[in-house]
Amino acid sequence: MFVKKRLKELSETNILSSVENLFFQDMSETDFKEHFNFLKENGFIVSSSFDDPIWLLPDYHKDREIIFKFDLEVSKELNLAMKGYILLKRMSGTVVSSCHRILQTIRYSALASNAFNNIEDLESYLIQQTSYVAYEYASIIKNFFSFYYHPKTTDIENVCFSIPKPVRKNRDLPEFKDIITFDESINEFFKNISFGEDQVRFFPVYIWWKLTNVIPMRVIEFLKLRKHCVEKKEDGTYWICIPREKKKADSPFKIDVTDTVEINYEMYSIINRYIEALESLNIISEFLIPFDAYVKYMIRPYQTKGQRKGSQNRLIDKYLQRLIDDFYNEFIENDSIDRITSGDTRHFAIMNMFLQGFNMLSIARMAGHENLEIQQNYYSHVDHYVQSQVYLLAQNKIGKTFSKKTGDLLLNKTRSMVDKGRIFEYEDLAGFRTTDYGFCTYTEPDFPIGCAEDCRVCTHYIFKPAVNDFQDGVSWLKNYSDILNQKVKETTEFMFTLSKHMYYDLQNLTHQKTGDSELKAASQKLVQMMDHLALVNSRILGG
């Protein structure tokens, strides 16, 4: 297992690092306890002792502490190896959510195969998963056993290598969980911007991710942004100028696109900080993303001669994608996930706007579409995008709300913990009301006036059925999940149909007001149903 360690800051822009290849058998429990104490002292672990079977790791993206369980009684050594592996992963910069997914994969696979001693059971467990999940699990297990030696390591690796990488059909966007992995990794990387060498090198990726997830820009439009593309107006608002040909539509069936878009202060500040960093390094260009900055921080300087600047000192799409790939290779280091390409964020932004209730004309003007029909290609992904998001929310046992303001990314999260039933024992619930297959923790005097429409979507509800009623309780949850899932599909179809058939005056850039208000209302309804569906599904998964 390769671990990157920061040794010393040589200057503001240079950091001395080392890469070590570590193996469990070469380390002692004392080594792991030192790593544990280091992470604890720096606020990355809040548990009291290394020996505890449960650790809590703060996840700043989700604004809560994530539970890590180390309770493999069948093999104490394997349990210790999992602890050491997670500590080293976190020490090397792997985000908490990814560490949790790694632990859960190893833990569940171990439970299914008697601590990896029954190879047939392991193979059966992997085959039972979907093709994408099986491949991800196999990759995680292979990586773990490159760190930890097991008497059947060779057999385990053979099983993992036998799981084929699935061929993606009829869809060209990454899985939503893989989008979240990238989002959390890039935000973790830039959480405290110190403008060290790596930060300056990958800053174009950070700006691209923050900006083009909100504004549906083409890659070339992003790369042609001028150095002074943002401004603060007298009324205190912030704006960005996008390099599009600003011309009046030459047909009544074409749209006059916009080239100035309002942004928030965060985006304005990020861009200006990058400009300041470039100026301090004496990198001069009329473009925001200069080619010279890319070449300056190449990790293989001998390749510089092969990089062509062209007539203008700005980055081209090939090199932007290379920077994105380098970030994956150096800081995410997971070959099993789908990688995002530089053009994917335009799809994300358009779907984000659609799900927030923007009509087709507003989206077309923001996206630079000359006619409304072009959007049809993007909406083919909406249903998958919604379902993937609900699945991810349920897997992580979280709730989510959307912001209605342009400038807030779909991935920006207001999260709250659910599935409280798993952290309570029956004696803890003795003082609460009993209800269908569980307990109600709502204690206000207006009960049941202040209750949700159904216990299954209420955050005060704890799913805790009696042992004999467990299967009936799960069926009760699944029934409501099916109802909500159908409502979500119907609402997205309604939004698309409504937006498509609204009256648009393309010459005067106006649209039907009643249809617009209906879109906004449907969007709010959709968000609520997605929250409810994720909550119900999380209880099914956690049961």
Side-chain angles (χ1 to χ4, degrees):
M1 175 185 181
F2 290 97
V3 177
K4 185 177 181 180
K5 293 184 177 180
R6 178 179 294 189
L7 300 179
K8 183 180 181 182
E9 290 190 9
L10 302 177
S11 67
E12 290 185 359
T13 58
N14 291 284
I15 297 172
L16 180 63
S17 301
S18 70
V19 177
E20 299 180 39
N21 194 10
L22 302 178
F23 300 95
F24 172 77
Q25 279 73 14
D26 296 333
M27 303 181 72
S28 67
E29 186 170 333
T30 301
D31 295 327
F32 295 136
K33 287 182 176 179
E34 288 179 359
H35 292 315
F36 177 90
N37 290 332
F38 174 81
L39 291 172
K40 180 181 176 181
E41 289 168 5
N42 287 275
F44 294 102
I45 294 180
V46 296
S47 301
S48 58
S49 170
F50 172 83
D51 297 320
D52 289 345
I54 294 178
W55 294 353
L56 300 179
L57 273 66
D59 189 327
Y60 300 105
H61 300 291
K62 299 174 183 175
D63 195 27
R64 66 185 179 100
E65 294 167 350
I66 306 299
I67 298 174
F68 283 67
K69 288 186 178 182
F70 302 95
D71 55 357
L72 282 184
E73 296 297 332
V74 292
S75 174
K76 291 185 178 180
E77 183 182 88
L78 181 59
N79 209 54
L80 177 62
M82 291 193 307
K83 285 186 173 182
Y85 191 65
I86 294 302
L87 287 171
L88 292 173
K89 278 289 185 182
R90 192 68 185 110
M91 289 280 289
S92 62
T94 302
V95 296
V96 173
S97 59
S98 294
C99 287
H100 189 255
R101 188 156 66 241
I102 290 168
L103 174 63
Q104 293 293 78
T105 299
I106 299 170
R107 180 169 166 266
Y108 286 138
S109 300
L111 291 170
S113 61
N114 188 26
F116 296 100
N117 288 305
N118 193 319
I119 302 302
E120 290 183 359
D121 285 350
L122 174 63
E123 184 175 21
S124 175
Y125 175 72
L126 292 177
I127 292 174
Q128 289 173 14
Q129 314 304 318
T130 65
S131 58
Y132 297 105
V133 172
Y135 181 73
E136 180 187 20
Y137 284 7
S139 298
I140 289 173
I141 293 169
K142 279 187 296 185
N143 290 336
F144 175 67
F145 283 101
S146 68
F147 165 73
Y148 171 67
Y149 176 77
H150 188 283
K152 295 189 177 182
T153 289
T154 301
D155 294 331
I156 294 168
E157 289 178 341
N158 287 338
V159 168
C160 293
F161 280 119
S162 71
I163 304 296
K165 185 172 184 178
V167 177
R168 191 165 300 284
K169 298 179 180 179
N170 301 323
R171 201 175 59 81
D172 57 3
L173 292 182
E175 291 286 319
F176 196 83
K177 64 181 178 59
D178 297 336
I179 299 172
I180 290 292
T181 295
F182 183 85
D183 175 64
E184 292 186 342
S185 297
I186 194 76
N187 281 297
E188 176 91 6
F189 185 74
F190 282 97
K191 185 166 62 178
N192 297 309
I193 300 175
S194 60
F195 292 113
E197 181 174 317
D198 283 339
Q199 277 77 16
V200 175
R201 177 182 167 212
F202 289 111
F203 218 112
V205 178
Y206 186 53
I207 296 175
W208 158 79
W209 183 248
K210 285 286 191 179
L211 184 62
T212 62
N213 262 300
V214 175
I215 303 173
M217 300 169 61
R218 298 177 177 88
V219 177
I220 188 60
E221 292 171 344
F222 171 73
L223 294 172
K224 290 175 70 175
L225 285 170
R226 298 286 171 169
K227 178 179 179 180
H228 300 293
C229 58
V230 294
E231 66 170 324
K232 179 181 179 180
K233 295 193 174 181
E234 293 182 359
D235 61 0
T237 59
Y238 304 92
W239 295 78
I240 186 168
C241 182
I242 302 171
R244 295 169 176 159
E245 271 193 37
K246 181 66 176 175
K247 62 179 182 180
K248 205 68 179 171
D250 57 7
S251 162
F253 303 104
K254 289 188 177 182
I255 301 166
D256 179 26
V257 301
T258 184
D259 63 353
T260 55
V261 178
E262 187 174 1
I263 57 176
N264 57 18
Y265 172 74
E266 179 193 13
M267 195 69 250
Y268 173 81
S269 176
I270 288 172
I271 290 175
N272 276 325
R273 292 191 71 181
Y274 181 57
I275 293 172
E276 291 171 4
L278 292 178
E279 290 177 346
S280 69
L281 294 168
N282 243 352
I283 297 176
I284 308 300
S285 173
E286 61 180 305
F287 293 97
L288 177 63
I289 313 294
F291 174 86
D292 287 348
Y294 167 73
V295 172
K296 181 178 178 65
Y297 292 105
M298 288 187 66
I299 57 176
R300 296 173 292 276
Y302 64 86
Q303 292 183 344
T304 302
K305 293 181 180 179
Q307 314 302 319
R308 300 186 179 277
K309 181 190 296 189
S311 59
Q312 299 173 322
N313 185 12
R314 68 169 179 84
L315 206 61
I316 61 174
D317 54 355
K318 180 173 72 173
Y319 300 145
L320 174 62
Q321 186 59 53
R322 191 169 295 174
L323 272 178
I324 297 169
D325 291 339
D326 284 346
F327 186 83
Y328 271 105
N329 294 335
E330 297 176 35
F331 296 100
I332 298 181
E333 301 176 306
N334 186 343
D335 293 334
S336 70
I337 67 175
D338 289 338
R339 295 193 174 193
I340 297 167
T341 68
S342 57
D344 286 342
T345 51
R346 179 171 167 83
H347 290 256
F348 303 156
I350 288 174
M351 288 187 289
N352 176 31
M353 292 185 70
F354 170 74
L355 292 175
Q356 292 193 51
F358 286 86
N359 62 66
M360 293 181 73
L361 178 59
S362 298
I363 295 173
R365 295 199 70 210
M366 287 278 282
H369 293 154
E370 289 189 343
N371 59 70
L372 299 179
E373 286 71 23
I374 296 175
Q375 289 181 39
Q376 308 280 347
N377 297 327
Y378 294 90
Y379 294 148
S380 62
H381 301 294
V382 166
D383 183 62
H384 171 82
Y385 198 69
V386 169
Q387 296 303 320
S388 296
Q389 183 188 354
V390 169
Y391 174 77
L392 180 76
L393 295 176
Q395 285 283 1
N396 287 288
K397 298 179 175 61
I398 55 176
K400 180 172 182 175
T401 61
F402 285 66
S403 171
K404 289 293 182 291
K405 297 171 65 178
T406 304
D408 287 328
L409 177 61
L410 180 63
L411 302 176
N412 284 351
K413 295 163 280 289
T414 304
R415 305 173 187 256
S416 60
M417 188 169 67
V418 299
D419 194 26
K420 298 178 182 178
R422 303 206 57 154
I423 62 175
F424 285 107
E425 299 299 332
Y426 283 107
E427 53 266 27
D428 299 322
L429 301 170
F432 295 120
R433 295 183 184 89
T434 57
T435 185
D436 292 335
Y437 305 104
F439 297 85
C440 174
T441 63
Y442 188 73
T443 57
E444 297 300 321
D446 62 347
F447 177 88
I449 298 174
C451 289
E453 62 186 49
D454 191 288
C455 288
R456 289 167 284 193
V457 298
C458 181
T459 56
H460 297 286
Y461 174 70
I462 295 175
F463 181 61
K464 201 79 173 177
V467 175
N468 295 336
D469 295 333
F470 182 78
Q471 290 301 328
D472 289 341
V474 171
S475 297
W476 176 68
L477 291 175
K478 287 182 176 178
N479 178 61
Y480 204 62
S481 174
D482 292 340
I483 293 172
L484 288 172
N485 194 50
Q486 183 60 34
K487 287 182 177 180
V488 166
K489 290 183 178 180
E490 290 172 356
T491 303
T492 53
E493 290 172 2
F494 169 76
M495 290 173 64
F496 176 69
T497 301
L498 179 63
S499 184
K500 183 178 179 180
H501 294 290
M502 280 176 60
Y503 170 74
Y504 298 106
D505 183 347
L506 303 186
Q507 286 184 304
N508 296 310
L509 299 176
T510 59
H511 54 270
Q512 183 182 345
K513 299 299 181 184
T514 54
D516 207 41
S517 60
E518 287 184 72
L519 265 181
K520 297 294 184 185
S523 172
Q524 293 172 3
K525 182 180 177 183
L526 176 65
V527 170
Q528 184 184 54
M529 285 188 294
M530 289 172 67
D531 282 340
H532 287 173
L533 181 56
L535 188 56
V536 174
N537 287 354
S538 72
R539 285 169 173 150
I540 296 172
L541 291 168

